């Protein structure tokens, strides 16, 4: 009898021990993990068959070739009158066009074949004030919209190739700063009031919300490793491999961009690179030059005599004789060694950093200079509208 009681007591003890371990393990994992999916994890199909069939013919595509360098957008009832398209991304392989209601992905390599993404399919779609942020590959998009009725800003991730999207965040604060990692694997944004920073892992579709509450945020950058750097009155690093632990860091100058796993900053004419806790000098200009604008990986600087474009990708300086203050518009080429400018003082033209001026013969380019984009160092694309409000996309070779 005693042996039976002893066996029962041992069995009960083992069971209790196992259950306690499981409970401890579960609680430990819950405490340690900080990565979670957004509240709405449902994948939204943004280009369902019925939309594609209505909008375009699969075999012919949205654009039909009108001449050697022009493509006309087909007339459909899906495009509201005077719903202006703009170019949000371009390179030698693809073009992304967008307005408040849809995005068109154009495959240059595949005879301008297109994909149509209907933003109105998003659960909390609102076009009161919307923004589109594209990664450097042109395959991932962050679409954010502020819904005035709900006083809420919704943030969505969109996979351009798959035509799917998920909601990755919502916030009553409209004013955000954001950035993509160089390898397009991570996207980060933070509200300027400094309450939260959100990190989105593209490959795993994981969202991490970090309570910041340290400082007003001027800039947020993220590296290929998923490390987040935030700049306010001080500078902070949030390390992914340390469960997004927040710490202050010492980096000279103001943040400009991330390049792979390096943070690029600028102070007193010097471009710095910060990586693995060490600062290096990358390049240098005269101290009189100040940063006036940043376009992708091109940083524009100006002083009283001229303009310099610093290309982060190649760590090169391109010097121009025109003054930035006299320009109405400037569109630097991908490498920064040419610029399309609009100016009453210098006229509308393309200028090379070698001092060469290029005449622009296509009158349509001059009409829509603000709606142009470089696809490589030799070619520019643009959109203009006919008298019947029909959009035409055209290419101009320099």
């Amino acid at each position: 009898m005693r042996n039976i009681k002893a066996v029962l007591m041992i069995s009960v003890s083992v069971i209790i021990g196992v259950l306690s371990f499981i409970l401890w393990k579960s609680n430990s994992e819950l405490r340690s993990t900080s990565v979670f999916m957004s509240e709405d994890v449902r994948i939204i199909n943004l280009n369902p068959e019925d939309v594609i069939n209505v909008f375009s013919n699969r075999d012919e595509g949205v654009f039909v070739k009108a001449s050697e360098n022009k493509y006309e957008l087909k007339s459909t009832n899906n495009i509201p009158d005077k719903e202006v398209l703009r170019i949000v991304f371009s390179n030698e392989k693809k073009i992304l066009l967008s307005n408040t209601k849809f995005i068109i992905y154009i495959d240059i390599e595949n005879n301008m074949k297109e994909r149509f993404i209907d933003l109105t399919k998003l659960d909390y779609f609102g076009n009161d004030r919307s923004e589109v942020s594209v990664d450097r590959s042109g395959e991932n998009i962050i679409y954010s919209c502020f819904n005035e009725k709900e006083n809420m800003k919704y943030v969505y991730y969109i996979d351009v190739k798959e035509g799917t999207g998920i909601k990755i965040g919502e916030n009553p604060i409209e004013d955000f700063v954001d950035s993509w990692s160089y390898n397009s694997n991570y996207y980060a944004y933070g509200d300027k009031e400094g309450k939260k920073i959100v990190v989105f892992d593209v490959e795993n579709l994981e969202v991490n919300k970090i309570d910041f509450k340290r400082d007003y945020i001027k800039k947020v950058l993220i590296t290929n490793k998923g490390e987040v750097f935030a700049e306010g009155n001080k500078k902070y690093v949030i390390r992914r491999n340390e469960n997004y632990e927040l710490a202050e860091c010492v980096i000279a100058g103001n943040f400009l961009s991330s390049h792979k796993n390096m943070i690029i900053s600028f102070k007193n004419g010097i471009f710095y690179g910060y990586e693995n806790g060490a600062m290096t000098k990358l390049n240098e200009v005269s101290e009189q030059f100040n940063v006036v604008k940043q376009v992708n990986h091109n940083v524009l600087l100006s002083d009283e005599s001229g303009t310099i474009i610093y290309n982060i990708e190649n760590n090169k300086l391109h010097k121009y004789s025109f003054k930035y203050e006299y320009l109405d518009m400037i569109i630097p080429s991908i490498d920064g060694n040419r610029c399309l400018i609009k100016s009453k003082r210098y006229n509308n033209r393309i200028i090379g950093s070698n001092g060469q001026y290029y005449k622009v013969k296509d009158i349509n380019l001059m009409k829509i200079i603000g709606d142009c984009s470089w696809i490589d160092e030799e070619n520019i694309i643009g959109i203009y509208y006919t008298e019947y409000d029909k959009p035409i996309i055209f290419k101009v070779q320099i």
Side-chain angles (χ1 to χ4, degrees), residues 68-84:
E68 184 62 30
N69 64 340
K70 294 181 182 178
Y71 293 82
E72 292 186 9
L73 187 62
K74 292 180 180 178
S75 297
T76 78
N77 294 327
N78 291 69
I79 305 178
D81 292 340
K82 298 184 183 301
E83 186 70 41
V84 178

Side-chain angles (χ1 to χ4, degrees), residues 38-49:
S38 62
E39 294 82 355
D40 182 6
V41 298
R42 183 169 63 85
I43 301 295
I44 305 166
N45 189 6
L46 299 176
N47 52 0
E49 294 294 324

Side-chain angles (χ1 to χ4, degrees), residues 134-159:
V134 186
D135 74 331
R136 64 182 295 273
S137 69
E139 297 181 0
N140 300 290
I141 290 176
I142 296 296
Y143 171 78
S144 60
C145 56
F146 188 78
N147 191 305
E148 290 185 342
K149 291 182 180 179
E150 300 179 12
N151 194 36
M152 189 69 69
K153 185 169 187 174
Y154 297 99
V155 185
Y156 291 89
Y157 162 72
I158 296 172
D159 184 324

Side-chain angles (χ1 to χ4, degrees), residues 1-14:
M1 191 68 176
R2 288 180 178 178
N3 291 337
I4 296 174
K5 286 183 178 180
V7 171
L8 288 173
M9 289 179 66
I10 292 172
S11 299
V12 170
S13 298
V14 170

Side-chain angles (χ1 to χ4, degrees), residues 273-378:
Y274 176 89
E275 187 174 4
N276 297 326
M279 296 287 302
T280 56
K281 178 181 173 181
L282 300 177
N283 221 317
E284 186 175 6
V285 297
S286 170
E287 288 190 20
Q288 283 71 39
F289 279 90
N290 296 307
V291 174
V292 291
K293 188 177 182 180
Q294 188 170 344
V295 182
N296 299 322
H297 269 57
N298 286 315
V299 180
L300 281 69
L301 305 101
S302 175
D303 75 347
E304 295 181 355
S305 60
T307 300
I308 292 178
I309 294 181
Y310 172 64
N311 184 263
I312 293 174
E313 187 93 21
N314 301 319
N315 190 25
K316 287 186 178 180
L317 296 171
H318 302 285
K319 299 180 180 180
Y320 295 88
S321 59
F322 57 77
K323 290 186 64 174
Y324 178 82
E325 289 74 13
Y326 293 151
L327 304 182
D328 299 319
M329 178 75 67
I330 179 170
I331 305 173
S333 64
I334 295 173
D335 289 340
N337 62 345
R338 289 176 177 173
C339 291
L340 174 62
I341 66 170
K342 179 180 181 181
S343 170
K344 293 179 181 178
R345 188 182 186 96
Y346 302 113
N347 299 321
N348 299 342
R349 60 179 65 193
I350 294 173
I351 301 178
S353 58
N354 57 4
Q356 185 175 359
Y357 285 74
Y358 302 85
K359 291 184 178 180
V360 181
K361 297 179 181 180
D362 195 317
I363 188 172
N364 292 310
L365 182 64
M366 292 300 95
K367 289 180 180 178
I368 49 85
I369 186 171
D371 299 311
C372 293
S373 181
W374 294 80
I375 59 176
D376 54 36
E377 294 302 305
E378 304 293 333

